[in-house]
Amino acid sequence: MNIKKDILIRVRLAFLVVCLFACAIVYKVVHIQFMEGAKWKKISKERRIRYQPVFATRGNIYSDNGSIMATSLPFYRVAFDPTIAETKTFNAGVDSLAMLLSRFYGDKSEDYYRRKIKNARHAGRKYIRLNSRQINYQDKKMMAQWPIFRSGKNKGGVIFEKVEKRFKPFGLLAERTIGFINEDKNGAGLEFSFNNNLAGTDGEALFERIAGGNKPIYDGTEVQPQHGYDIMTTIDINLQDVAENALYKALVEKNADYGCVILMEVKTGEIKAIANLGKTKGGYIEDYNYAVGNQGRTEPGSTFKLASMMALFEATNVQLEDTIDTGNGSYRIKNTTMTDAKNGGYGKLSVQEVFEKSSNIGVAKLMEQHFSNNPQLYVEYLNKFGLNSTLGFQMDGEARPFIKSTQDRSWYGTTLTSMSIGYELKLSPLQTLAFYNAVANNGVKVQPIIVKEIRKADNVIQSYSTRVLNEKICSDETLKKLKIMLEGVVQNGTAKNIRSSDYKVAGKTGTARKVKDGKYVKLYSTSFAGYFPADNPKYSCIVIIDSPRGVNVYGGDVAAPVFKELADKAYARDLAMHKPMRARVVANKDSLPQVKAGSFDDLSLICNKIGISNHNASADEDWVKVEPHMRSFKFMPNPVLSGKVPDVTGMTLRDALFILGNQHLQVQVQGEGKRVEKQSLAPGANIEKGSKITIVLS
């Protein structure tokens, strides 16, 4: 009996404790809800609402003629506050809105969107993302007219969340030069190097954290972002396209590892084209800036012989006619053997022929004769030429050149002769080109530039002008000798395969053996560096093709043809480089000269000079066909329309190349003669991307 009573007492006590605990909970709930409600609501709101950045629009990157190379395009995600719209507006439009959403996105049914919107409104949710897919500006304008949405953000509840994407109108053209920047602010190219200008300054605004995302609150405290500046580059889109196509074809043909091309204006240092292509499993892409960076810094090989000859002429009185015996093509220096490309050797050569034929032995012997007692003098000349210094290029990542000194521990008895032919030192292609450009520019070494202005709309924020690095790299007498030798390489030497009858080219081929695992192997870095037209240089250019395979893998066979293709296109589209046509007096005025087609200005000038009557059917046409009429010429319109194949029959080769090149056609020339007799594509046909045309001369 006592046990039963004891159990009852314990149960009653336990029940009492539970009741008291429940009452305490109810009290606390009531206290929090009614007594401290305002306090906790304030804390909750403070935690839900916070300032977040409003990202600035990134600036554009332009080519030299104002074409957009990179821009930020606005895209949007569609979100919705279903609680804002009035009941009448909501009920009248929700079915139509659900139907339109289902048809537009095509991923969910009409019923799915209707239930999603109604459920969110019933639950009082102030933010739902209708679909994660991004839409463009035109889609945004269309959606803004849909039921409920047409009432706007404040009355309809539609929220278009802006998302910007970087867009390159020319696709992969100059991709590595344009570059990129990631979320960690790491990147490459112009996007990275000029990020401080392009990025702008972000603003900030209040956002409320609610289920499904963050909803902006526009209360007047928001700070507007300062959008980024635009940068104006020196890149010529047409020449860039030619450079990349010519480089790509050479790489594919020779199954090479990588290649690069740089085309620069001699006087200004403005880079008009810079192409970099590296081999991947899927083909060739712009994976690295070999023209500027460390991976492209290599032993230049024979293109460096220009620097050696410059040092020789500056330090001695050696003349181009002086001779040197190169022997049978094999020369023992200390414990190594140097060879020439020709089996059996070249025998006795003049100094000019040593350079034209790129004789390693000839250059090495000249260096030994004049610098072996003081090799540091040779090094000092190289430093004087600026070859040991960076160029201060505008893009990040410029490689540091390596020119060995006699104080270096690695200096050996053969180092002088090795350096003289381009080994035991390293330069980037851009640094080599800047040196060649100085020779073309009468000894004035200028800094290469790729960005000429930073702009905000039409206002120039900062401009970059040509900067002289060295007022006179060497004497005028030395320059004269070097120019003769460089022209001789193309006229008579290792690059005579790119000789042109229209303009003169000066340059030097290079073929340097590659090093793998500390040993030289039978792979080569081939190159050609030079300028054109040689008698009045407008452009300088360097081409690098690394590790070409197959037969004929020397610089003159691999790299020089790429130079030639780019030079031909640049020359064809730049009338200022063309030699003026001289008017000739017609011996017999009753006999008219054979003129069929060409530039109206040129033909009219010639006719007026030689006294032939001429009549123009249309004063607005630049290009005309010629019809003989009695003892006069009648000029008929021959319009050149964008996107259409022009009629170049009857024109000179120079005029035909100019017109076809501007229409982005790849031109092949057959036959020999002065004028175009036939063309493979019919005049007026549409031009497809990558179209080729063959013209036959007669």
Side-chain angles (χ1 to χ4, degrees), residues 487 490-491 498-506 528 530-539 560-574 577-579 653-654 657:
E487 290 183 40
V490 179
Q491 293 298 316
I498 67 167
R499 186 171 51 199
S500 172
S501 59
D502 295 316
Y503 60 94
K504 286 186 177 180
V505 174
F528 183 87
Y531 53 87
F532 63 95
D535 46 4
N536 185 22
K538 174 71 179 292
Y539 296 109
V562 177
F563 179 102
K564 175 72 160 54
E565 183 172 347
L566 181 55
D568 281 347
K569 295 295 175 63
Y571 181 80
R573 62 192 297 271
D574 193 337
M577 288 195 293
H578 294 192
K579 295 178 181 178
L653 175 61
R654 184 180 299 168
L657 289 175

mmCIF file of all heavy atoms in Angstrom, residues 487 490-491 498-506 528 530-539 560-574 577-579 653-654 657:
data_model
loop_
_atom_site.group_PDB
_atom_site.id
_atom_site.type_symbol
_atom_site.label_atom_id
_atom_site.label_comp_id
_atom_site.label_asym_id
_atom_site.label_seq_id
_atom_site.Cartn_x
_atom_site.Cartn_y
_atom_site.Cartn_z
ATOM 1 N N GLU A 487 69.061 43.529 -97.537
ATOM 2 C CA GLU A 487 68.428 43.438 -98.850
ATOM 3 C C GLU A 487 69.046 42.296 -99.662
ATOM 4 O O GLU A 487 68.346 41.601 -100.407
ATOM 5 C CB GLU A 487 68.569 44.754 -99.602
ATOM 6 C CG GLU A 487 67.731 45.887 -99.034
ATOM 7 C CD GLU A 487 67.830 47.160 -99.853
ATOM 8 O OE1 GLU A 487 67.851 47.059 -101.092
ATOM 9 O OE2 GLU A 487 67.913 48.259 -99.251
ATOM 10 N N VAL A 490 67.529 38.763 -99.307
ATOM 11 C CA VAL A 490 66.304 38.490 -100.067
ATOM 12 C C VAL A 490 66.584 38.463 -101.565
ATOM 13 O O VAL A 490 65.975 37.688 -102.308
ATOM 14 C CB VAL A 490 65.221 39.533 -99.735
ATOM 15 C CG1 VAL A 490 63.952 39.276 -100.533
ATOM 16 C CG2 VAL A 490 64.913 39.512 -98.242
ATOM 17 N N GLN A 491 67.522 39.289 -102.027
ATOM 18 C CA GLN A 491 67.822 39.316 -103.457
ATOM 19 C C GLN A 491 68.657 38.121 -103.902
ATOM 20 O O GLN A 491 68.422 37.550 -104.980
ATOM 21 C CB GLN A 491 68.556 40.624 -103.798
ATOM 22 C CG GLN A 491 67.704 41.871 -103.649
ATOM 23 C CD GLN A 491 66.500 41.884 -104.564
ATOM 24 O OE1 GLN A 491 66.598 41.551 -105.744
ATOM 25 N NE2 GLN A 491 65.344 42.254 -104.020
ATOM 26 N N ILE A 498 61.343 34.699 -101.445
ATOM 27 C CA ILE A 498 60.255 35.657 -101.183
ATOM 28 C C ILE A 498 60.507 36.993 -101.878
ATOM 29 O O ILE A 498 59.844 37.982 -101.576
ATOM 30 C CB ILE A 498 60.048 35.878 -99.665
ATOM 31 C CG1 ILE A 498 61.253 36.581 -99.036
ATOM 32 C CG2 ILE A 498 59.751 34.573 -98.960
ATOM 33 C CD1 ILE A 498 60.981 37.095 -97.646
ATOM 34 N N ARG A 499 61.448 37.010 -102.797
ATOM 35 C CA ARG A 499 61.734 38.231 -103.545
ATOM 36 C C ARG A 499 60.491 38.673 -104.316
ATOM 37 O O ARG A 499 59.781 37.864 -104.886
ATOM 38 C CB ARG A 499 62.895 37.965 -104.494
ATOM 39 C CG ARG A 499 63.419 39.174 -105.238
ATOM 40 C CD ARG A 499 64.707 38.811 -105.968
ATOM 41 N NE ARG A 499 64.546 37.604 -106.761
ATOM 42 C CZ ARG A 499 65.556 36.863 -107.204
ATOM 43 N NH1 ARG A 499 66.807 37.189 -106.912
ATOM 44 N NH2 ARG A 499 65.323 35.788 -107.932
ATOM 45 N N SER A 500 60.221 39.976 -104.313
ATOM 46 C CA SER A 500 59.026 40.514 -104.969
ATOM 47 C C SER A 500 59.432 41.507 -106.044
ATOM 48 O O SER A 500 60.381 42.272 -105.877
ATOM 49 C CB SER A 500 58.125 41.202 -103.937
ATOM 50 O OG SER A 500 57.065 41.880 -104.579
ATOM 51 N N SER A 501 58.697 41.493 -107.141
ATOM 52 C CA SER A 501 58.958 42.457 -108.221
ATOM 53 C C SER A 501 58.260 43.790 -107.956
ATOM 54 O O SER A 501 58.558 44.785 -108.607
ATOM 55 C CB SER A 501 58.468 41.883 -109.551
ATOM 56 O OG SER A 501 57.076 41.593 -109.494
ATOM 57 N N ASP A 502 57.324 43.805 -106.993
ATOM 58 C CA ASP A 502 56.551 45.024 -106.722
ATOM 59 C C ASP A 502 57.221 45.916 -105.688
ATOM 60 O O ASP A 502 57.060 47.136 -105.708
ATOM 61 C CB ASP A 502 55.145 44.658 -106.244
ATOM 62 C CG ASP A 502 54.343 43.950 -107.326
ATOM 63 O OD1 ASP A 502 54.401 44.404 -108.479
ATOM 64 O OD2 ASP A 502 53.680 42.944 -107.012
ATOM 65 N N TYR A 503 57.922 45.328 -104.742
ATOM 66 C CA TYR A 503 58.545 46.097 -103.671
ATOM 67 C C TYR A 503 59.737 45.316 -103.129
ATOM 68 O O TYR A 503 59.820 44.095 -103.285
ATOM 69 C CB TYR A 503 57.552 46.394 -102.547
ATOM 70 C CG TYR A 503 56.989 45.155 -101.895
ATOM 71 C CD1 TYR A 503 57.563 44.620 -100.737
ATOM 72 C CD2 TYR A 503 55.884 44.489 -102.433
ATOM 73 C CE1 TYR A 503 57.057 43.478 -100.150
ATOM 74 C CE2 TYR A 503 55.382 43.350 -101.853
ATOM 75 C CZ TYR A 503 55.967 42.847 -100.702
ATOM 76 O OH TYR A 503 55.469 41.711 -100.121
ATOM 77 N N LYS A 504 60.654 46.013 -102.490
ATOM 78 C CA LYS A 504 61.854 45.374 -101.951
ATOM 79 C C LYS A 504 61.646 44.975 -100.495
ATOM 80 O O LYS A 504 61.030 45.702 -99.726
ATOM 81 C CB LYS A 504 63.052 46.316 -102.053
ATOM 82 C CG LYS A 504 63.604 46.484 -103.454
ATOM 83 C CD LYS A 504 64.871 47.326 -103.430
ATOM 84 C CE LYS A 504 65.477 47.453 -104.827
ATOM 85 N NZ LYS A 504 66.720 48.266 -104.808
ATOM 86 N N VAL A 505 62.191 43.825 -100.167
ATOM 87 C CA VAL A 505 62.153 43.317 -98.788
ATOM 88 C C VAL A 505 63.577 43.206 -98.285
ATOM 89 O O VAL A 505 64.483 42.797 -99.011
ATOM 90 C CB VAL A 505 61.458 41.942 -98.719
ATOM 91 C CG1 VAL A 505 61.562 41.353 -97.304
ATOM 92 C CG2 VAL A 505 60.000 42.053 -99.131
ATOM 93 N N ALA A 506 63.794 43.565 -97.025
ATOM 94 C CA ALA A 506 65.083 43.374 -96.364
ATOM 95 C C ALA A 506 64.849 42.527 -95.128
ATOM 96 O O ALA A 506 63.887 42.757 -94.384
ATOM 97 C CB ALA A 506 65.689 44.721 -95.978
ATOM 98 N N PHE A 528 62.085 34.445 -89.425
ATOM 99 C CA PHE A 528 62.465 35.460 -90.411
ATOM 100 C C PHE A 528 62.079 36.812 -89.828
ATOM 101 O O PHE A 528 60.941 37.023 -89.395
ATOM 102 C CB PHE A 528 61.763 35.260 -91.759
ATOM 103 C CG PHE A 528 62.211 36.248 -92.803
ATOM 104 C CD1 PHE A 528 63.326 35.979 -93.596
ATOM 105 C CD2 PHE A 528 61.563 37.455 -92.982
ATOM 106 C CE1 PHE A 528 63.764 36.892 -94.542
ATOM 107 C CE2 PHE A 528 61.995 38.376 -93.926
ATOM 108 C CZ PHE A 528 63.104 38.089 -94.707
ATOM 109 N N GLY A 530 62.439 41.105 -90.625
ATOM 110 C CA GLY A 530 62.807 42.072 -91.652
ATOM 111 C C GLY A 530 61.829 43.221 -91.727
ATOM 112 O O GLY A 530 61.006 43.436 -90.829
ATOM 113 N N TYR A 531 61.909 43.956 -92.849
ATOM 114 C CA TYR A 531 61.042 45.122 -93.037
ATOM 115 C C TYR A 531 60.799 45.340 -94.521
ATOM 116 O O TYR A 531 61.505 44.799 -95.384
ATOM 117 C CB TYR A 531 61.660 46.364 -92.393
ATOM 118 C CG TYR A 531 63.085 46.663 -92.806
ATOM 119 C CD1 TYR A 531 63.365 47.421 -93.945
ATOM 120 C CD2 TYR A 531 64.160 46.190 -92.060
ATOM 121 C CE1 TYR A 531 64.667 47.701 -94.326
ATOM 122 C CE2 TYR A 531 65.469 46.466 -92.429
ATOM 123 C CZ TYR A 531 65.721 47.223 -93.558
ATOM 124 O OH TYR A 531 67.007 47.492 -93.939
ATOM 125 N N PHE A 532 59.778 46.162 -94.830
ATOM 126 C CA PHE A 532 59.410 46.442 -96.221
ATOM 127 C C PHE A 532 58.594 47.726 -96.277
ATOM 128 O O PHE A 532 57.997 48.114 -95.261
ATOM 129 C CB PHE A 532 58.615 45.274 -96.807
ATOM 130 C CG PHE A 532 57.292 45.023 -96.113
ATOM 131 C CD1 PHE A 532 56.097 45.563 -96.593
ATOM 132 C CD2 PHE A 532 57.228 44.255 -94.955
ATOM 133 C CE1 PHE A 532 54.883 45.347 -95.960
ATOM 134 C CE2 PHE A 532 56.019 44.026 -94.306
ATOM 135 C CZ PHE A 532 54.853 44.574 -94.810
ATOM 136 N N PRO A 533 58.538 48.400 -97.432
ATOM 137 C CA PRO A 533 59.467 48.282 -98.564
ATOM 138 C C PRO A 533 60.875 48.715 -98.123
ATOM 139 O O PRO A 533 61.008 49.684 -97.360
ATOM 140 C CB PRO A 533 58.907 49.257 -99.601
ATOM 141 C CG PRO A 533 57.509 49.591 -99.137
ATOM 142 C CD PRO A 533 57.528 49.451 -97.657
ATOM 143 N N ALA A 534 61.883 48.039 -98.589
ATOM 144 C CA ALA A 534 63.232 48.258 -98.078
ATOM 145 C C ALA A 534 63.751 49.661 -98.358
ATOM 146 O O ALA A 534 64.521 50.212 -97.560
ATOM 147 C CB ALA A 534 64.185 47.220 -98.686
ATOM 148 N N ASP A 535 63.319 50.276 -99.467
ATOM 149 C CA ASP A 535 63.830 51.605 -99.807
ATOM 150 C C ASP A 535 63.136 52.726 -99.024
ATOM 151 O O ASP A 535 63.651 53.831 -98.933
ATOM 152 C CB ASP A 535 63.708 51.861 -101.310
ATOM 153 C CG ASP A 535 62.343 51.469 -101.854
ATOM 154 O OD1 ASP A 535 61.473 51.064 -101.043
ATOM 155 O OD2 ASP A 535 62.138 51.567 -103.068
ATOM 156 N N ASN A 536 61.967 52.435 -98.434
ATOM 157 C CA ASN A 536 61.264 53.411 -97.591
ATOM 158 C C ASN A 536 60.394 52.632 -96.605
ATOM 159 O O ASN A 536 59.181 52.539 -96.769
ATOM 160 C CB ASN A 536 60.409 54.349 -98.441
ATOM 161 C CG ASN A 536 59.756 55.439 -97.616
ATOM 162 O OD1 ASN A 536 60.220 55.773 -96.522
ATOM 163 N ND2 ASN A 536 58.668 55.984 -98.121
ATOM 164 N N PRO A 537 60.984 52.064 -95.566
ATOM 165 C CA PRO A 537 60.285 51.085 -94.717
ATOM 166 C C PRO A 537 59.030 51.642 -94.052
ATOM 167 O O PRO A 537 59.049 52.711 -93.441
ATOM 168 C CB PRO A 537 61.334 50.722 -93.667
ATOM 169 C CG PRO A 537 62.647 51.043 -94.306
ATOM 170 C CD PRO A 537 62.393 52.238 -95.154
ATOM 171 N N LYS A 538 57.948 50.887 -94.206
ATOM 172 C CA LYS A 538 56.680 51.218 -93.533
ATOM 173 C C LYS A 538 56.400 50.233 -92.398
ATOM 174 O O LYS A 538 55.935 50.621 -91.329
ATOM 175 C CB LYS A 538 55.538 51.167 -94.549
ATOM 176 C CG LYS A 538 54.142 51.352 -93.946
ATOM 177 C CD LYS A 538 53.897 52.765 -93.483
ATOM 178 C CE LYS A 538 52.484 52.939 -92.893
ATOM 179 N NZ LYS A 538 51.428 52.820 -93.913
ATOM 180 N N TYR A 539 56.683 48.954 -92.635
ATOM 181 C CA TYR A 539 56.415 47.927 -91.643
ATOM 182 C C TYR A 539 57.664 47.083 -91.380
ATOM 183 O O TYR A 539 58.461 46.831 -92.290
ATOM 184 C CB TYR A 539 55.309 46.978 -92.120
ATOM 185 C CG TYR A 539 53.957 47.619 -92.297
ATOM 186 C CD1 TYR A 539 53.430 47.818 -93.570
ATOM 187 C CD2 TYR A 539 53.191 48.009 -91.199
ATOM 188 C CE1 TYR A 539 52.183 48.392 -93.749
ATOM 189 C CE2 TYR A 539 51.946 48.589 -91.368
ATOM 190 C CZ TYR A 539 51.447 48.775 -92.638
ATOM 191 O OH TYR A 539 50.216 49.354 -92.806
ATOM 192 N N ALA A 560 59.837 32.473 -93.716
ATOM 193 C CA ALA A 560 59.853 33.563 -94.699
ATOM 194 C C ALA A 560 58.591 33.627 -95.556
ATOM 195 O O ALA A 560 58.087 34.723 -95.826
ATOM 196 C CB ALA A 560 61.100 33.447 -95.583
ATOM 197 N N PRO A 561 58.016 32.488 -96.020
ATOM 198 C CA PRO A 561 56.778 32.584 -96.810
ATOM 199 C C PRO A 561 55.601 33.200 -96.045
ATOM 200 O O PRO A 561 54.749 33.845 -96.652
ATOM 201 C CB PRO A 561 56.489 31.122 -97.186
ATOM 202 C CG PRO A 561 57.834 30.465 -97.181
ATOM 203 C CD PRO A 561 58.574 31.112 -96.049
ATOM 204 N N VAL A 562 55.552 33.000 -94.726
ATOM 205 C CA VAL A 562 54.495 33.633 -93.928
ATOM 206 C C VAL A 562 54.688 35.149 -93.946
ATOM 207 O O VAL A 562 53.733 35.918 -94.093
ATOM 208 C CB VAL A 562 54.512 33.094 -92.482
ATOM 209 C CG1 VAL A 562 53.462 33.802 -91.629
ATOM 210 C CG2 VAL A 562 54.277 31.587 -92.467
ATOM 211 N N PHE A 563 55.932 35.577 -93.795
ATOM 212 C CA PHE A 563 56.276 37.003 -93.899
ATOM 213 C C PHE A 563 55.819 37.546 -95.253
ATOM 214 O O PHE A 563 55.207 38.619 -95.339
ATOM 215 C CB PHE A 563 57.779 37.164 -93.728
ATOM 216 C CG PHE A 563 58.285 38.583 -93.839
ATOM 217 C CD1 PHE A 563 58.607 39.306 -92.702
ATOM 218 C CD2 PHE A 563 58.456 39.193 -95.076
ATOM 219 C CE1 PHE A 563 59.087 40.609 -92.792
ATOM 220 C CE2 PHE A 563 58.925 40.487 -95.180
ATOM 221 C CZ PHE A 563 59.242 41.197 -94.026
ATOM 222 N N LYS A 564 56.101 36.818 -96.302
ATOM 223 C CA LYS A 564 55.771 37.259 -97.675
ATOM 224 C C LYS A 564 54.260 37.421 -97.853
ATOM 225 O O LYS A 564 53.794 38.411 -98.440
ATOM 226 C CB LYS A 564 56.307 36.223 -98.677
ATOM 227 C CG LYS A 564 55.946 36.486 -100.150
ATOM 228 C CD LYS A 564 56.719 37.643 -100.716
ATOM 229 C CE LYS A 564 56.761 37.643 -102.229
ATOM 230 N NZ LYS A 564 55.450 37.566 -102.897
ATOM 231 N N GLU A 565 53.495 36.467 -97.362
ATOM 232 C CA GLU A 565 52.037 36.549 -97.522
ATOM 233 C C GLU A 565 51.474 37.763 -96.798
ATOM 234 O O GLU A 565 50.630 38.493 -97.337
ATOM 235 C CB GLU A 565 51.375 35.273 -96.996
ATOM 236 C CG GLU A 565 49.871 35.273 -97.203
ATOM 237 C CD GLU A 565 49.221 33.938 -96.872
ATOM 238 O OE1 GLU A 565 49.953 32.938 -96.719
ATOM 239 O OE2 GLU A 565 47.977 33.898 -96.774
ATOM 240 N N LEU A 566 51.954 38.001 -95.585
ATOM 241 C CA LEU A 566 51.480 39.161 -94.823
ATOM 242 C C LEU A 566 51.940 40.463 -95.471
ATOM 243 O O LEU A 566 51.175 41.430 -95.567
ATOM 244 C CB LEU A 566 51.976 39.068 -93.383
ATOM 245 C CG LEU A 566 51.558 40.190 -92.427
ATOM 246 C CD1 LEU A 566 50.045 40.354 -92.398
ATOM 247 C CD2 LEU A 566 52.088 39.910 -91.032
ATOM 248 N N ALA A 567 53.188 40.479 -95.947
ATOM 249 C CA ALA A 567 53.719 41.683 -96.585
ATOM 250 C C ALA A 567 52.968 42.007 -97.875
ATOM 251 O O ALA A 567 52.672 43.173 -98.161
ATOM 252 C CB ALA A 567 55.207 41.505 -96.876
ATOM 253 N N ASP A 568 52.638 40.979 -98.655
ATOM 254 C CA ASP A 568 51.888 41.203 -99.899
ATOM 255 C C ASP A 568 50.533 41.845 -99.614
ATOM 256 O O ASP A 568 50.114 42.783 -100.305
ATOM 257 C CB ASP A 568 51.680 39.874 -100.636
ATOM 258 C CG ASP A 568 52.915 39.432 -101.397
ATOM 259 O OD1 ASP A 568 53.839 40.246 -101.554
ATOM 260 O OD2 ASP A 568 52.952 38.258 -101.825
ATOM 261 N N LYS A 569 49.833 41.334 -98.606
ATOM 262 C CA LYS A 569 48.509 41.874 -98.287
ATOM 263 C C LYS A 569 48.626 43.299 -97.737
ATOM 264 O O LYS A 569 47.809 44.170 -98.083
ATOM 265 C CB LYS A 569 47.810 40.964 -97.269
ATOM 266 C CG LYS A 569 47.494 39.581 -97.800
ATOM 267 C CD LYS A 569 46.485 39.618 -98.927
ATOM 268 C CE LYS A 569 46.260 38.244 -99.542
ATOM 269 N NZ LYS A 569 45.699 37.258 -98.610
ATOM 270 N N ALA A 570 49.611 43.527 -96.896
ATOM 271 C CA ALA A 570 49.799 44.871 -96.338
ATOM 272 C C ALA A 570 50.148 45.861 -97.447
ATOM 273 O O ALA A 570 49.655 46.997 -97.465
ATOM 274 C CB ALA A 570 50.896 44.852 -95.276
ATOM 275 N N TYR A 571 50.988 45.422 -98.377
ATOM 276 C CA TYR A 571 51.382 46.304 -99.483
ATOM 277 C C TYR A 571 50.207 46.577 -100.420
ATOM 278 O O TYR A 571 49.989 47.700 -100.866
ATOM 279 C CB TYR A 571 52.525 45.653 -100.261
ATOM 280 C CG TYR A 571 53.029 46.487 -101.419
ATOM 281 C CD1 TYR A 571 53.911 47.543 -101.205
ATOM 282 C CD2 TYR A 571 52.628 46.224 -102.722
ATOM 283 C CE1 TYR A 571 54.371 48.323 -102.261
ATOM 284 C CE2 TYR A 571 53.077 46.987 -103.784
ATOM 285 C CZ TYR A 571 53.946 48.036 -103.543
ATOM 286 O OH TYR A 571 54.390 48.800 -104.590
ATOM 287 N N ALA A 572 49.410 45.530 -100.689
ATOM 288 C CA ALA A 572 48.303 45.674 -101.637
ATOM 289 C C ALA A 572 47.250 46.653 -101.143
ATOM 290 O O ALA A 572 46.640 47.373 -101.933
ATOM 291 C CB ALA A 572 47.662 44.309 -101.896
ATOM 292 N N ARG A 573 47.031 46.709 -99.830
ATOM 293 C CA ARG A 573 45.962 47.562 -99.312
ATOM 294 C C ARG A 573 46.448 48.930 -98.858
ATOM 295 O O ARG A 573 45.664 49.736 -98.362
ATOM 296 C CB ARG A 573 45.235 46.851 -98.154
ATOM 297 C CG ARG A 573 46.092 46.546 -96.969
ATOM 298 C CD ARG A 573 45.375 45.594 -96.020
ATOM 299 N NE ARG A 573 44.172 46.178 -95.476
ATOM 300 C CZ ARG A 573 44.149 46.908 -94.362
ATOM 301 N NH1 ARG A 573 45.276 47.149 -93.707
ATOM 302 N NH2 ARG A 573 43.020 47.391 -93.914
ATOM 303 N N ASP A 574 47.737 49.213 -99.017
ATOM 304 C CA ASP A 574 48.285 50.511 -98.614
ATOM 305 C C ASP A 574 48.815 51.227 -99.844
ATOM 306 O O ASP A 574 49.958 51.044 -100.253
ATOM 307 C CB ASP A 574 49.396 50.317 -97.582
ATOM 308 C CG ASP A 574 49.778 51.628 -96.893
ATOM 309 O OD1 ASP A 574 49.528 52.690 -97.480
ATOM 310 O OD2 ASP A 574 50.326 51.579 -95.783
ATOM 311 N N MET A 577 52.242 53.142 -100.144
ATOM 312 C CA MET A 577 53.516 52.465 -100.356
ATOM 313 C C MET A 577 53.804 52.205 -101.831
ATOM 314 O O MET A 577 54.925 51.872 -102.191
ATOM 315 C CB MET A 577 53.545 51.126 -99.596
ATOM 316 C CG MET A 577 53.662 51.258 -98.097
ATOM 317 S SD MET A 577 54.111 49.688 -97.307
ATOM 318 C CE MET A 577 52.655 48.706 -97.597
ATOM 319 N N HIS A 578 52.789 52.336 -102.667
ATOM 320 C CA HIS A 578 52.979 52.004 -104.077
ATOM 321 C C HIS A 578 53.786 53.077 -104.792
ATOM 322 O O HIS A 578 53.668 54.268 -104.509
ATOM 323 C CB HIS A 578 51.624 51.847 -104.774
ATOM 324 C CG HIS A 578 50.849 50.684 -104.269
ATOM 325 N ND1 HIS A 578 49.734 50.203 -104.896
ATOM 326 C CD2 HIS A 578 51.037 49.886 -103.189
ATOM 327 C CE1 HIS A 578 49.254 49.178 -104.219
ATOM 328 N NE2 HIS A 578 50.033 48.968 -103.180
ATOM 329 N N LYS A 579 54.593 52.640 -105.725
ATOM 330 C CA LYS A 579 55.378 53.585 -106.518
ATOM 331 C C LYS A 579 54.451 54.338 -107.466
ATOM 332 O O LYS A 579 53.556 53.747 -108.073
ATOM 333 C CB LYS A 579 56.444 52.836 -107.326
ATOM 334 C CG LYS A 579 57.493 52.149 -106.465
ATOM 335 C CD LYS A 579 58.483 51.384 -107.319
ATOM 336 C CE LYS A 579 59.533 50.681 -106.454
ATOM 337 N NZ LYS A 579 60.478 49.899 -107.274
ATOM 338 N N LEU A 653 47.817 43.744 -111.781
ATOM 339 C CA LEU A 653 47.893 42.834 -110.630
ATOM 340 C C LEU A 653 47.829 43.616 -109.330
ATOM 341 O O LEU A 653 47.163 43.203 -108.375
ATOM 342 C CB LEU A 653 49.187 42.016 -110.703
ATOM 343 C CG LEU A 653 49.459 41.097 -109.499
ATOM 344 C CD1 LEU A 653 48.348 40.059 -109.343
ATOM 345 C CD2 LEU A 653 50.817 40.415 -109.644
ATOM 346 N N ARG A 654 48.500 44.755 -109.289
ATOM 347 C CA ARG A 654 48.535 45.550 -108.061
ATOM 348 C C ARG A 654 47.138 46.004 -107.657
ATOM 349 O O ARG A 654 46.726 45.865 -106.507
ATOM 350 C CB ARG A 654 49.452 46.752 -108.261
ATOM 351 C CG ARG A 654 49.635 47.606 -107.026
ATOM 352 C CD ARG A 654 50.565 48.765 -107.322
ATOM 353 N NE ARG A 654 51.880 48.293 -107.720
ATOM 354 C CZ ARG A 654 52.823 49.066 -108.259
ATOM 355 N NH1 ARG A 654 52.574 50.345 -108.475
ATOM 356 N NH2 ARG A 654 53.984 48.565 -108.598
ATOM 357 N N LEU A 657 44.987 42.910 -106.556
ATOM 358 C CA LEU A 657 45.319 42.434 -105.206
ATOM 359 C C LEU A 657 44.767 43.373 -104.148
ATOM 360 O O LEU A 657 44.290 42.939 -103.096
ATOM 361 C CB LEU A 657 46.835 42.298 -105.056
ATOM 362 C CG LEU A 657 47.501 41.161 -105.822
ATOM 363 C CD1 LEU A 657 49.014 41.227 -105.662
ATOM 364 C CD2 LEU A 657 46.981 39.806 -105.351
#
